[in-house]
């Protein structure tokens, strides 16, 4: 017979797990993390298009004859 073993888990209220220690680096990086997942404003699309076009132009200029 095939038996499946399950790992026992236990929740302890008021456990001795400590919270993460705040660090200077963490405080400096916190504003960057708060921007994660936000949609870029519409004004950035034209800048991104110019950047991508410039990169494509540079790549074609240097590697177009391969």
């Amino acid at each position: 017979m095939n038996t499946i073993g399950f790992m026992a888990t236990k929740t302890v209220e008021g456990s001795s797990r400590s919270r993460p220690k705040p660090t200077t680096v963490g405080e400096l990086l916190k504003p960057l993390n708060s921007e994660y997942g936000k949609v870029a404003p519409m004004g950035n699309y034209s800048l991104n298009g110019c950047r991508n076009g410039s990169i494509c132009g540079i790549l074609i200029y240097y590697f177009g004859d391969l």
Side-chain angles (χ1 to χ4, degrees):
M1 231 175 158
N2 192 3
T3 60
I4 300 174
F6 291 98
M7 184 186 232
T9 58
K10 181 174 147 181
T11 303
V12 178
E13 297 205 19
S15 65
S16 61
R17 270 184 95 173
S18 61
R19 297 183 51 87
K21 181 180 176 185
T23 61
T24 305
V25 175
E27 291 297 320
L28 292 173
L29 295 178
K30 192 179 289 187
L32 296 176
N33 196 25
S34 66
E35 297 296 320
Y36 178 76
K38 290 186 179 176
V39 177
M42 290 299 289
N44 287 348
Y45 288 119
S46 58
L47 294 174
N48 288 337
C50 291
R51 183 198 63 202
N52 291 343
S54 300
I55 291 171
C56 288
I58 291 168
L59 291 174
I60 290 170
Y61 179 78
Y62 285 108
F63 300 108
D65 58 347
L66 292 180

